[in-house]
Amino acid sequence: MASLRRLYPLCSSSINRTLFSASEAREGFGGSFFRGYSVIASSEQTILRPDDDCGQVAADSFITDDEIRKIRHEFDAARQCFHKVPKVLKGMPKMNPKGIYVNKNLRLDNIQVYGFDYDYTLAHYSANLQSLIYDLAKEHMVNELRYPEVCMKFKYDPTFPIRGLYYDRSKGCLLKLDFFGSIEPDGCYFGRRKLSRKEIEELYGTRHIGRDQARGLDGLMDFFCFSEACLIADVVQHFVDAKLEFDTSYIYEDVNRAIQHVHRSGFAHRGILADPHRYLVKNGELLRFLRMLRDKGKKLFLLTNSPYYFVDGGMRFMLEDSLGYKDSWRELFDVVIAKAKKPEFYTSEHPFRCYDTEKDTLAYTKVDAFLPNKIYYHGCLKSFLQITKWNGPEVIYFGDHLFSDLRGPSKAGWRTAAIIHELESEIHIQNEDSYRFEQAKFHITQELLGKLHSTVAQSQRCEAYKSLFEELNKERQNARSMMKRMFNRSFGATFLTDTGQESAFAYHIHQYADVYTSKPENFLFYPPEAWLQSPFDIKIMPHHVKVPSTLFEN
């Protein structure tokens, strides 16, 4: 989140001059100490005079007590405003839940080719899909991998996981990391039990994950990872409760193998197509967006890991109410590539194969051109560029998986658009007055705590200091807890940690996505010739709320 400016007015200028002068006198340039001098602070000036050590201690004690009283006064004044939401909040601008947020400047008039992933990019799924994947995976673990029969009683818990978590294979913990690779203090779970800060320190030694430790972490970044994270936690918890010995790396391998089996076997695909009303969301706006691009003369291609029959069934269902009987969804795309095996697609040299939709077979002839209304399987980026002659900067690719979908295109010179469905709901929460109010409370108490720490030396922390510290810390913890529960009771927001830092997931969005939004059709709200500019006044993520410094003034 963009760092918030000061949320409470500073002390008067005369007081600030006194504090600054006193600090300079005590520490000197670079922190040196003037021996044999004490400081007497007045509202007019700061006087240096020779004195003995007792006088120095007395003067320091006087300044310390005075500073604690000033911070106490600031806190009490701010706390008077904590009883109701300030009116100024209602006048603050709201962030657009359907907006396009820009990490790197993008001129849409330079984009001539639009590429799309299918799952969770063009296809919108309901929350029921996670339960389906979870149930199919646990059945595979019981029936094929011989896990205990009791695992069949597990139920998917939608309130537990978020996207962007990491699983530590060596220690068995699900972790939420911040932008700098440190473990979120309230975001470390072993099974379904949250570990305390003390337990985290005993387990890791430090909250920061170093490069060597990071090699043992597996990122759970796409939308299918919800069911995977929940199943990992449930299986670990079962073994703990049953007091059975187990290797945490095997748990991950088996759960991941089961999840992959659900996809590759087609069980999930067939389950979705068998009851599309339960799992797929119809979307006429998507058709409007794709047709608008075609009308503007843009080239379109579909590049997905899913098999053609699944994509065809899903697109027909989603667009059937607005597509019309005479038109086929395939006519919207210049090239359709299925079973592309991303991310290998971007680095391998696999050849393209033409797919016969009637016979469900692959042709043996070499593919040296993409023909209209044909379907292609496999392939690689190198061959794709040779055949199409589409240059990198004129291509933008839309996808939801940061590593499989966006990292390869980003390195290849394509522009990239991350599709993050939960962005819409999180912005709605951030726009609420109640959230912004708690956020302001958190930051002002955080600021006062920092001021208290910097003012009072370790040796001078009296009862007044301890009392104020406890009150400030309690207020800060309450605000942080309130904000977290508004998003997810276990891990909080997807893009933020509980301390207001950007998450590791936000870091990867910033690294691999030129722009990000909740749905591709949000581009309908922008002209195809628009220049999308990154805001100049943001720290990392441009969609984050910025609370003004005048919130609690007067």
Side-chain angles (χ1 to χ4, degrees):
M1 177 184 296
S3 59
L4 296 172
R5 310 311 188 251
R6 298 178 68 85
L7 298 179
Y8 195 73
L10 296 172
C11 301
S12 67
S13 58
S14 62
I15 293 175
N16 283 329
R17 285 197 301 271
T18 300
L19 295 179
F20 182 69
S21 301
S23 175
E24 285 183 321
R26 282 198 303 272
E27 297 182 7
F29 181 76
S32 62
F33 186 73
F34 285 127
R35 297 178 62 87
Y37 285 84
S38 66
V39 180
I40 297 181
S42 70
S43 60
E44 299 297 329
Q45 59 184 342
T46 301
I47 304 171
L48 288 176
R49 73 177 188 188
D51 204 348
D52 55 19
D53 291 340
C54 293
Q56 176 69 53
V57 172
D60 285 349
S61 178
F62 172 77
I63 293 173
T64 297
D65 292 344
D66 189 45
E67 286 308 306
I68 292 175
R69 281 195 295 270
K70 289 172 184 175
I71 297 171
R72 161 68 71 182
H73 176 72
E74 288 186 62
F75 180 43
D76 290 341
R79 198 158 45 180
Q80 291 299 316
C81 302
F82 290 173
H83 298 299
K84 61 180 180 180
V85 178
K87 292 181 180 179
V88 69
L89 271 178
K90 302 188 183 302
M92 285 179 60
K94 307 291 187 183
M95 306 305 287
N96 183 6
K98 296 179 186 254
I100 298 172
Y101 293 95
V102 187
N103 291 324
K104 303 178 186 70
N105 294 346
L106 177 64
R107 289 182 55 174
L108 292 182
D109 58 343
N110 289 338
I111 302 298
Q112 302 303 319
V113 183
Y114 284 72
F116 300 92
D117 182 37
Y118 175 71
D119 291 303
Y120 280 108
T121 301
L122 293 180
H124 300 342
Y125 294 103
S126 72
N128 296 321
L129 179 58
Q130 299 300 334
S131 294
L132 173 66
I133 297 171
Y134 181 95
D135 290 342
L136 291 173
K138 75 181 182 186
E139 289 173 9
H140 179 76
M141 292 181 70
V142 172
N143 296 332
E144 302 299 328
L145 304 181
R146 299 296 184 261
Y147 270 68
E149 188 72 27
V150 70
C151 294
M152 293 295 290
K153 297 181 180 179
F154 293 169
K155 298 289 185 183
Y156 175 69
D157 180 4
T159 67
F160 177 69
I162 62 171
R163 182 164 26 176
L165 299 178
Y166 289 83
Y167 181 72
D168 185 343
R169 292 191 300 272
S170 65
K171 295 179 174 62
C173 293
L174 276 173
L175 309 172
K176 180 181 180 182
L177 303 181
D178 68 15
F179 193 87
F180 303 101
S182 294
I183 301 171
E184 166 65 27
D186 291 329
C188 180
Y189 280 75
F190 185 72
R192 296 297 293 271
R193 185 177 71 85
K194 183 174 73 174
L195 301 187
S196 67
R197 297 191 182 202
K198 183 179 179 181
E199 288 175 313
I200 295 173
E201 290 176 1
E202 291 175 348
L203 197 59
Y204 288 93
T206 173
R207 287 199 297 111
H208 183 72
I209 298 295
R211 181 173 297 180
D212 291 338
Q213 285 180 306
R215 296 191 183 98
L217 302 184
D218 291 283
L220 306 175
M221 295 292 165
D222 67 352
F223 218 86
F224 292 110
C225 73
F226 287 78
S227 48
E228 184 174 5
C230 192
L231 188 53
I232 288 172
D234 289 342
V235 172
V236 169
Q237 190 62 52
H238 166 72
F239 277 88
V240 171
D241 293 340
K243 295 181 173 55
L244 298 174
E245 291 187 8
F246 66 100
D247 189 307
T248 53
S249 64
Y250 295 158
I251 299 296
Y252 172 77
E253 291 174 6
D254 290 344
V255 171
N256 184 259
R257 190 190 313 169
I259 294 288
Q260 294 300 323
H261 174 76
V262 168
H263 296 315
R264 292 169 182 167
S265 65
F267 287 158
H269 297 150
R270 289 192 288 272
I272 292 168
L273 294 182
D275 192 0
H277 291 276
R278 179 174 173 79
Y279 301 109
L280 279 166
V281 179
K282 296 203 173 193
N283 188 6
E285 290 300 295
L286 175 62
L287 179 61
R288 265 212 318 136
F289 172 52
L290 298 177
R291 279 181 169 165
M292 181 272 290
L293 293 177
R294 296 291 293 183
D295 292 342
K296 293 291 182 178
K298 307 297 183 182
K299 300 293 185 180
L300 276 68
F301 69 92
L302 177 63
L303 177 67
T304 175
N305 286 351
S306 293
Y308 172 74
Y309 81 89
F310 176 64
V311 176
D312 182 55
M315 292 292 281
R316 287 176 183 273
F317 173 80
M318 289 187 294
L319 305 180
E320 66 182 355
D321 294 340
S322 49
L323 191 61
Y325 293 105
K326 296 181 180 180
D327 297 324
S328 165
W329 68 267
R330 287 192 299 180
E331 295 174 2
L332 297 168
F333 295 92
D334 296 272
V335 183
V336 175
I337 302 168
K339 282 198 172 183
K341 298 183 179 179
K342 295 177 293 183
E344 291 179 31
F345 177 88
Y346 301 110
T347 56
S348 73
E349 295 194 6
H350 294 157
F352 283 102
R353 304 282 298 273
C354 189
Y355 175 70
D356 189 322
T357 58
E358 300 295 330
K359 300 179 180 178
D360 188 26
T361 57
L362 296 175
Y364 296 103
T365 55
K366 182 180 179 180
V367 175
D368 51 16
F370 292 131
L371 303 177
N373 219 27
K374 294 291 185 180
I375 307 300
Y376 298 92
Y377 268 28
H378 311 318
C380 64
L381 178 63
K382 180 180 178 180
S383 297
F384 182 83
L385 297 177
Q386 289 174 345
I387 294 172
T388 62
K389 303 294 191 293
W390 291 337
N391 296 319
E394 68 178 358
V395 181
I396 186 170
Y397 186 70
F398 292 70
D400 74 297
H401 196 297
L402 299 180
F403 300 148
S404 293
D405 290 331
L406 302 182
R407 180 163 54 185
S410 178
K411 291 182 177 180
W414 289 359
R415 309 308 300 269
T416 54
I419 302 303
I420 310 162
H421 283 252
E422 56 266 48
L423 175 67
E424 197 166 320
S425 62
E426 292 208 355
I427 290 180
H428 276 299
I429 294 171
Q430 288 184 177
N431 282 341
E432 292 292 330
D433 289 348
S434 57
Y435 173 81
R436 295 184 174 192
F437 186 44
E438 295 299 329
Q439 185 193 47
K441 287 164 64 177
F442 171 81
H443 281 283
I444 195 169
T445 51
Q446 179 91 337
E447 180 180 323
L448 291 174
L449 275 167
K451 189 183 295 186
L452 185 64
H453 284 307
S454 64
T455 301
V456 183
Q458 180 76 29
S459 60
Q460 297 171 332
R461 293 180 177 178
C462 57
E463 287 302 319
Y465 164 86
K466 293 177 182 178
S467 175
L468 180 55
F469 172 81
E470 289 176 1
E471 291 181 51
L472 283 167
N473 197 46
K474 182 179 180 181
E475 194 73 58
R476 180 183 64 165
Q477 294 286 3
N478 287 342
R480 189 162 69 182
S481 178
M482 288 291 292
M483 286 190 291
K484 177 179 180 178
R485 289 199 297 269
M486 292 180 189
F487 293 100
N488 175 281
R489 69 184 186 188
S490 301
F491 293 99
T494 303
F495 297 89
L496 291 172
T497 66
D498 297 346
T499 56
Q501 296 274 2
E502 279 78 11
S503 65
F505 180 75
Y507 169 80
H508 292 304
I509 289 288
H510 187 72
Q511 188 176 21
Y512 297 124
D514 294 336
V515 298
Y516 62 98
T517 187
S518 62
K519 299 172 183 175
E521 55 268 29
N522 291 341
F523 275 71
L524 281 171
F525 300 112
Y526 298 77
E529 302 81 18
W531 290 24
L532 304 179
Q533 300 283 340
S534 175
F536 70 92
D537 60 342
I538 56 99
K539 180 181 177 184
I540 299 297
M541 304 305 289
H543 77 276
H544 285 159
V545 178
K546 302 165 184 65
V547 180
S549 61
T550 56
L551 183 64
F552 285 108
E553 189 171 359
N554 298 323

